[in-house]
Amino acid sequence: MPVWRAVIGALAALALPVMLMAAATGDAAAIGAAGTGTRAPLDRDTLLSGTYRRSVDLSAYAPPADALPPTHRFEGRLRLSGQPSTRTLVALDGFLGPGDVAAARTLPQDIDIAFVQDGDVLVPARRGPIPGTHPWWELVVEAGRAWNEPGDAGWTRAAIPFALVQRNANCTHNGVLMLLFKSDGQVSRAAMQVSSETCHYLQLDLWGLLEAAYVPGPVAGSDALVAAHAREVAARLPVWPMSALAVDHPGINPDRFAIGAPRGRSVHGVVFEGVHYRSGCDTRHGAYPYCDAMDLPSYSLAKSAVAGIALMRMERLHPGVADLPVSDFARASGCMTARWDRVRFRHLLDMATGQHDSPAYMADEDDVRVRDFLAPDTHAQRLAFACEAYPRRDAPGTRWVYHTSDTYLLGTVLQEALRRLPGREGEDIFDDVVWAGVLGPIGLSPTARVTRRSHDAARQPLFGFGLTLLGDDIAKLARFLGTGRGRIDGRQLLDPTMFAAAMQRDPQRRGLQAATLERYRYQHGFWARDLQPELGCAGPTWVPFMSGFGGITVAMFPNGVAWYNVADDGLLASIDFAAPALEAAKLGPICSDDARAPQQP
């Protein structure tokens, strides 16, 4: 362990409990907050009877340096109602329908969340997006904090990180709630503020005071909730600031791992030698005080982390699944026509069905009629689009054309194939294969346990998008795919042939070219980029990566470095990872002629 870490550890052992709590959540604002005994923004009088006229610096939602252990206990249900003040910053008409912005400027009125308190931690009974009646938003709630402040006259104060996630989509707006409470059920109003998002086409500030009701009472499975949360926190990768890279590895410039405009970034990080080096979670109004709990959308990262893993896992367990005919497993008349002859499951994952309107890069996916696939609530409507939308133009497996509908159809036929197996008639492809077989065992959070689904009895996983992730989830995924080589404790979880191809470890199988992009390939749900010119390599150097809408990239370099960036401005500067690759090469060779990917310990 570097000396500077040992010194920090010694100092932390002498610090106040609240400072330890803040450090555990990545809460630098809490550690540095002034402790005057009376706070200015969001003080007791404001929460009980005052006004909240404008957004404040988010450090107001963090414990101050003079915070005390909580004297009251919260166990029961928190119910919220009311509407915030709002300010629209970006609203792109090409992605929004009539009334969408107006709906997004309101909050759900059926918010009802159960919490159990463990010391100074508030553990929610439910994680991941919670469906409700609101036409635009679903709510995600993360573990919060409770503490006392000298100026609160005996009340205990609670702060709860949350996110608003677009229904049927992935736009994610992070915020914090804060309220005062007492064990007997007394509660103030709840302050709330949203000052950041990962959403290309709709960016909002929301702030205000909501009406709150606290209904004390036992929470079912409270001991299990507390124990599970403690295990989750203990299993997170160690997190150090990006600046620590230069200390641990002299000669590295951490700034080179930050790409694009700061206003577009939510967070970025590097995973190397078991350490998660992470940036701050900056917002329009200061640092987000609970960076460990910031919810991040997957968008099309799910095409890799759900669809790719699903087919490779099924092929590992049941060889031959990847070559099953789509028409035998898709229960829709449109998939039983001649256009689907010779189309196999693997062609769906590779987006190489031979069916399309235009082979130009993203032309079909960006066409307005894709709304007919994205907007419906029901599985039948989405399945009909996936089976019928495009004419047959090429032989299967010969041309790549990007279609999220192909990935959705893969989830559908995999679900059917799974349920035809003896004893697995009622199982779910996400719950019982992807989560139980891979994502759960590698330690992803309960937030990632929930995938978006059709809003009907079928509850079909969307597959091509729809996960909500924490930064630790992204780091663990990258480690599993990179240095982990798809293994846990030496046990291979994914089909080795498909996985080697997806990770560009088989030089004979690079995948199909992505339209006219000569140095990009797509295979088994994963992208790859040839970095030979940027790195000055002697030959082609293909680096696999995952990509999500707006500017989300996770690259697994062959020298054991993983890098990610979560952004939403949709600009090339926010997805071009040449500069991070050059810096990562200082930590070990990346060029294909001399790189050797290390094994995970």
Side-chain angles (χ1 to χ4, degrees), residues 140-142 161-163 172 174 198 293-297 447 468-470:
V140 184
V141 180
E142 300 295 345
F162 74 93
T172 301
N174 279 277
T198 306
M294 176 173 270
D295 292 311
L296 305 167
T447 300
T468 299
L469 304 165
L470 303 182

Side-chain angles (χ1 to χ4, degrees), residues 16 23 25 51 66 82 125 139 191 244 268 294 298 300 326 348 376 388 395 409 439 457 470 478 515 522 575 589:
L16 294 173
T25 60
T51 58
D66 58 356
L139 186 72
H268 66 280
M294 176 173 270
S298 72
S300 290
V326 171
L348 294 173
E388 301 170 8
L409 182 54
L439 301 187
L470 303 182
Y522 193 87
I575 61 175

Side-chain angles (χ1 to χ4, degrees), residues 349-433:
L349 183 59
D350 291 341
M351 296 189 190
T353 66
Q355 301 176 44
H356 55 85
D357 281 337
S358 170
Y361 182 73
M362 295 292 177
D364 282 3
E365 189 75 358
D366 290 342
D367 190 88
V368 67
R369 73 191 191 96
V370 172
R371 289 182 181 177
D372 294 338
F373 169 74
L374 297 173
D377 282 340
T378 70
H379 174 51
Q381 290 171 290
R382 287 197 177 100
L383 181 58
F385 183 99
C387 289
E388 301 170 8
Y390 305 107
R392 176 76 162 263
R393 299 186 186 276
D394 299 295
T398 61
R399 186 192 295 273
W400 173 90
V401 179
Y402 194 94
H403 291 153
T404 297
S405 55
D406 287 351
T407 315
Y408 183 83
L409 182 54
L410 174 64
T412 300
V413 295
L414 277 175
Q415 183 93 295
E416 180 67 18
L418 174 67
R419 291 175 175 177
R420 290 187 191 181
L421 295 171
R424 308 194 75 172
E425 294 82 359
E427 293 194 4
D428 180 85
I429 188 65
F430 180 82
D431 290 344
D432 300 305
V433 175

Side-chain angles (χ1 to χ4, degrees), residues 513-569:
Q513 181 173 309
T516 56
L517 305 179
E518 294 183 2
R519 293 196 291 122
Y520 287 82
R521 298 288 185 269
Y522 193 87
Q523 186 163 218
H524 304 338
F526 289 82
W527 295 82
R529 177 182 177 182
D530 178 14
L531 287 170
Q532 178 185 359
E534 290 82 0
L535 296 178
C537 301
T541 298
W542 292 95
V543 172
F545 67 97
M546 301 183 282
S547 179
F549 172 73
I552 304 175
T553 308
V554 183
M556 288 75 64
F557 297 109
N559 62 353
V561 177
W563 166 90
Y564 69 88
N565 185 56
V566 180
D568 64 6
D569 57 16

